[in-house]
Every structure is written in structure tokens, then in C-alpha cells.
Amino acid sequence: KDMMAKSVGMKDGTNATAAIEKLMEENRLYEGEDGEKFSMIGSADDFEDIFIDIDFAAINSFVKNLLPEVTRKEPVKEEYIDALYSEVLGKDTFNPRERKAQAVPGGYLIRGENKVKPKEGKDDGDVLIEALDKKIFESSVAGKIQVYYILDPTPPSGEEILNDEDESPVLLITNYDISPDTKVWIKPAITFLGLASIAAFSLGSFSFNDEVLNRISTGADSGDGSLNWLYDLSLPLALSVLATQILHEAGHLIIAVKDEIEIGFPTFVPGFQFGLTGAITPIKSSPKNIKSLFDFAIAGPLFGLAASIILLYSGLEMTVFMDASAQEQLPSVPVELLRSSALGGGIIDFLLGDGVLNSPDSSEMIKLHPYAIAGFGGLVSNALSLMPIGNTDGGRISVSFFGRSFARVIQGAAVLILVISGIFGFDQANVLLCYGLFTQTWQKEAEVPCRNEVDELDSVRGFVAIGMSLIV
């Protein structure tokens, strides 16, 4: 409809009837022999417009997949781009190759060359961003736009790929505010459900303990319905589960303070298997570079995994050296669930005796100290957070390590693996499938862009990323 309308000088195909009448007046639209189909005579320019529109739509779709929706909250005014060209860009900062910036969803791309002199001990991209920020602060667009130095997010042409120019550095211009918008009540409501889920998991872990069930039955028969003793038994497990996630968030907070990254309050997400699936900590301001994003992303799982392993080991030791009467009052978890982590299962086998998880009955229950259960759950949830998906910690690490384009490919493969594992029974506890559904509901979008995404990670961070990938 748009092509037909444009061929007769109309802006778009909103008024299709008027476009058809105009075409018929110009004898360019003919009714078919069947009385239902129509044929149209078009010029070469008409069809060129079609291909231009298709190309534009393909570029927009590609960019939308690589950049989060918050970068498209409001379109950037053209007058801001004109001011940027005249007041900021030039031979002492970033020299544009073209006078006109390319419009993309949420902003503009400017191609050109970094002209800022390098500084020892600093990445060239960081030096450029500092120079641009200084000039923007003194310009008429201060506080109105945000500039990022990133690899070209538009789909490359065949010629660009052959010339190894498919990911050349460009400036991305968006509005200044890229903080996520969420309704005020949603995050507290989800966190409340998360805390309730922890409580339900902690109490439910005693539901297969015969001694605990007998005590509840005896109390009910005698008229003493108080369950304060059960709450006391389940409290260590609930607090331990919460502690592993709080320490995970502490790791994020330390880097956020160090690198001046503005973050939102974490939202605790309920989970079926271990009480918590994890927490969502939104980034509200752009990290200065991918090193900062990497540090922020990796710190949470590092803290969480360390705390979880310590809890698991301590809890297993307490389980082993506990007297028989105390062991009878321990919470229990199914063997099936304890097989969901090779690392956690290996530690359990090592301390409790080889073969303890090899029961032919996957629903068999094993009694463990609350610390051991919380540690195992924390181990699984922190390992899952390293899966390279969306704006999870693993997704952020993947963007830092591989770049946005290839990270998107890896995300698709990771989601496919999670789904296949759940559907074909490779994960009998459905931990992977549940996590896949969680990420596709809450965290499938890409992370906010860093101010400098051109300069690569150093080798030390690269080795850390490879090491953490082995845990997953």
C-alpha cells in the first residue's frame, strides 16, 4: 500500500482508497480478468523505493535485536544532531566521514575516525569519550544526548565482510536518559513472592521427614497446634538461601560503587527448585567500558559461588558429624535435584561417600544440613546466572568477550540447549528448562550499551571468563 501511495505522490498508504483512485485516473491500475485481482504499472523508481524500505526495515530489526528498548525511549531530535556536528565533532575529537548521520531505532549512527591523541595507560576509546563528554558539557546539547563509541550494529554488506570492515567503530547517539522504566509496584511484588518462595521451600523441605510429620500429627492430636519449633528448624535454611543471593548482589554493588555505575535495587525472583531463581539487578547508567561491564557481571557470581561452596562444604561436614537423633530432624531433598550440578554432586559424593547419588530411585530423599542445601542451591543458581543470555550476568560477560553481534548468536544457542535439555529429559529436575523460561520472560533483552565498546578485554579478564565458562 505504501509503495502504491508513494508512486502517486502520497506520503504513505494510510488512505488506500485515494491511492487506488489516483492510480486508476492515471491508467496505471487495471482490473484482472477474474474481477478480483488487479495489476499495476510501476516505474523503476517505485520498485527502488520498495527495496530501500525493505533494507531500512532489515537494518532497524537488526539494531533492535542488539540494543535494549531503553535506548529507544524517545527519539533524538534532529536539531541535537546538527548541534553535535557543529559544536562537538571535528578534527580534535571524532571526524565524521558523512555530513548526515544515519537514523536507527532510538537514535543515530555517525561514522568517522577517532582523532583524539592516545594517552598512556588508557584505552583510545575511553580517551575519546572523555574528550566528547567535555565538549558536550560545554555545548547546547548538554544533558540532552548520550554518546557511545561502539562497533557498527547495522548488518554488514558482502563487500564490508570481504574487506574486514563489518564491525568498524561508530558513534551511537541516544537520548540522555536510558534508565529502565518499571511500574512502581512490580518489583516489590515480585520480591515479596521471591521471599515467600524461600519460606515455602524451607518449610517444604521438611515435608518428607517422617519424624517432623509425626511431631506435627502428635501435636495436633494433643491440641497443641503450635508450629514455632518447625519455623525454628526451617529458619537456618531460609536465611542461608537468602544469604547466598545477598552476597551475590554485594559483589555487583562493590564494582558499581568503584566504577560509578548507577544500579537499581535487586528484584528477588521466586523459583520452584531452590526457593529463588536469582535476582535481577538493573543497570541504570552506562558502564564506562566493557571492562567495567565485565567486572560488574563477574563479581556477583564469583561472590555467590564462593559463599555457596563454603556453605555446601560446611553443611556436609556438619551432616557427617551430627548424631543420629539430630540427623532425623534435618530437611531433605530428592536425589534427582542433587544430580542437577556436576560440581555440587561431586562435592556431595566426596564428603558423604561415593555413590550416594547413584540411587536407582531418583525420587529418593537425602537428609542434609540446611547449610548444605542452601549451598547447593546457591551453586546451581550462580552457575545458571553465567549462561550467556540477554542481560543476565552471563549475557553481560558474553557481550564483553564476544561483542554484541556474536553474543546474540551465542544466546540463541544457549536457549536452544536449555530447551532441548528439558524437553528430551537430559535434565530430569527441569532446572535448565525453568531457567530458560525465566530468562526469556524477564531477561532476554540486551544490556544497555557501554560508553566505550570498541576496546577489547585484557588477557587476564579473558582467562577469568574462560574459567567461569567451565563452571557452567
Side-chain angles (χ1 to χ4, degrees):
K1 290 193 297 182
D2 287 342
M3 185 273 287
M4 292 170 60
K6 289 178 181 178
S7 71
V8 293
M10 297 174 64
K11 184 177 180 182
D12 54 44
T14 305
N15 191 345
T17 302
I20 291 172
E21 289 176 352
K22 185 70 174 174
L23 285 167
M24 295 186 74
E25 287 176 8
E26 296 177 1
N27 295 320
R28 292 172 58 197
L29 190 66
Y30 299 91
E31 187 175 353
E33 294 179 0
D34 57 4
E36 295 181 1
K37 297 181 180 179
F38 288 82
S39 299
M40 172 186 165
I41 298 176
S43 66
D45 290 339
D46 296 333
F47 290 99
E48 182 179 354
D49 288 340
I50 293 175
F51 291 114
I52 291 173
D53 288 344
I54 291 173
D55 188 46
F56 183 72
I59 291 174
N60 283 1
S61 177
F62 197 85
V63 172
K64 283 182 178 180
N65 281 329
L66 295 184
L67 297 171
E69 190 175 348
V70 291
T71 60
R72 305 185 289 274
K73 289 169 71 171
E74 292 182 18
V76 178
K77 296 180 180 179
E78 286 190 32
E79 62 193 70
Y80 295 167
I81 301 301
D82 293 338
L84 183 70
Y85 268 86
S86 61
E87 301 175 34
V88 178
L89 303 182
K91 294 182 178 180
D92 59 340
T93 53
F94 187 87
N95 196 24
R97 287 203 301 263
E98 302 168 345
R99 179 58 194 167
K100 187 173 178 61
Q102 179 183 355
V104 294
Y108 289 86
L109 292 179
I110 300 176
R111 294 176 177 83
E113 185 179 357
N114 179 5
K115 306 297 287 187
V116 176
K117 294 180 179 179
K119 289 184 180 179
E120 187 176 352
K122 282 192 173 184
D123 290 328
D124 292 348
D126 292 343
V127 178
L128 171 62
I129 290 297
E130 287 177 5
L132 289 172
D133 282 349
K134 183 177 179 181
K135 294 200 73 172
I136 288 174
F137 181 76
E138 298 168 350
S139 72
S140 61
V141 291
K144 297 176 181 176
I145 61 171
Q146 188 74 279
V147 178
Y148 308 89
Y149 190 46
I150 67 172
L151 298 176
D152 195 336
T154 60
S157 64
E159 184 179 351
E160 287 174 333
I161 294 175
L162 289 174
N163 295 333
D164 199 23
E165 298 174 348
D166 51 318
E167 285 196 328
S168 56
V170 298
L171 293 185
L172 168 68
I173 317 299
T174 70
N175 264 297
Y176 190 80
D177 179 21
I178 61 164
S179 59
D181 291 329
T182 308
K183 291 182 180 179
V184 177
W185 60 271
I186 290 180
K187 289 184 178 181
I190 294 174
T191 296
F192 174 79
L193 291 176
L195 297 176
S197 180
I198 293 175
F201 168 72
S202 302
L203 291 169
S205 62
F206 289 93
S207 60
F208 295 95
N209 186 306
D210 291 336
E211 182 166 325
V212 169
L213 293 177
N214 289 335
R215 187 172 174 182
I216 293 174
S217 178
T218 302
D221 292 341
S222 64
D224 181 12
S226 175
L227 295 177
N228 289 336
W229 58 272
L230 179 58
Y231 301 147
D232 292 339
L233 283 177
S234 61
L235 188 60
L237 177 54
L239 293 179
S240 299
V241 170
L242 189 59
T244 59
Q245 193 60 53
I246 289 175
L247 286 169
H248 177 116
E249 298 308 315
H252 288 318
L253 182 61
I254 289 170
I255 301 301
V257 172
K258 169 183 168 291
D259 290 351
E260 298 180 347
I261 303 172
E262 186 181 352
I263 59 175
F265 196 80
T267 302
F268 294 104
V269 181
F272 295 107
Q273 288 89 357
F274 300 105
L276 271 185
T277 298
I280 301 174
T281 305
I283 294 179
K284 302 176 72 174
S285 67
S286 294
K288 59 184 178 182
N289 51 42
I290 59 172
K291 295 184 180 70
S292 181
L293 177 64
F294 177 88
D295 293 347
F296 176 84
I298 204 77
L302 279 176
F303 275 58
L305 285 169
S308 298
I309 291 173
I310 291 171
L311 270 176
L312 175 59
Y313 191 90
S314 302
L316 291 173
E317 280 206 328
M318 292 179 182
T319 303
V320 171
F321 294 107
M322 192 176 286
D323 61 69
S325 60
Q327 282 187 355
E328 288 301 316
Q329 297 193 45
L330 289 176
S332 54
V333 289
V335 170
E336 181 181 71
L337 198 57
L338 297 176
R339 291 173 181 167
S340 60
S341 168
L343 176 59
I347 295 174
I348 292 173
D349 266 340
F350 176 74
L351 289 176
L352 296 189
D354 191 28
V356 69
L357 300 183
N358 293 333
S359 171
D361 182 9
S362 59
S363 62
E364 181 181 340
M365 308 299 291
I366 293 182
K367 292 178 181 178
L368 295 174
H369 190 279
Y371 291 173
I373 296 175
F376 185 88
L379 196 63
V380 172
S381 63
N382 280 279
L384 286 174
S385 73
L386 291 168
M387 291 293 291
I389 300 174
N391 55 24
T392 64
D393 292 328
R396 293 160 175 163
I397 293 169
S398 181
V399 167
S400 303
F401 196 77
F402 297 107
R404 287 187 178 269
S405 296
F406 194 57
R408 203 68 181 173
V409 176
I410 294 174
Q411 172 176 330
V415 172
L416 184 62
I417 289 171
L418 292 177
V419 173
I420 290 176
S421 298
I423 292 177
F424 292 97
F426 300 119
D427 170 33
Q428 294 183 350
N430 289 321
V431 173
L432 298 180
L433 182 60
C434 288
Y435 188 74
L437 293 173
F438 157 69
T439 55
Q440 293 309 291
T441 302
W442 298 102
Q443 292 191 281
K444 65 180 179 180
E445 267 213 330
E447 189 52 87
V448 298
C450 303
R451 301 298 307 284
N452 168 26
E453 292 192 358
V454 173
D455 296 302
E456 298 177 350
L457 290 178
D458 54 82
S459 57
V460 174
R461 288 181 173 89
F463 285 123
V464 171
I466 294 170
M468 295 297 283
S469 69
L470 297 177
I471 294 176
V472 179

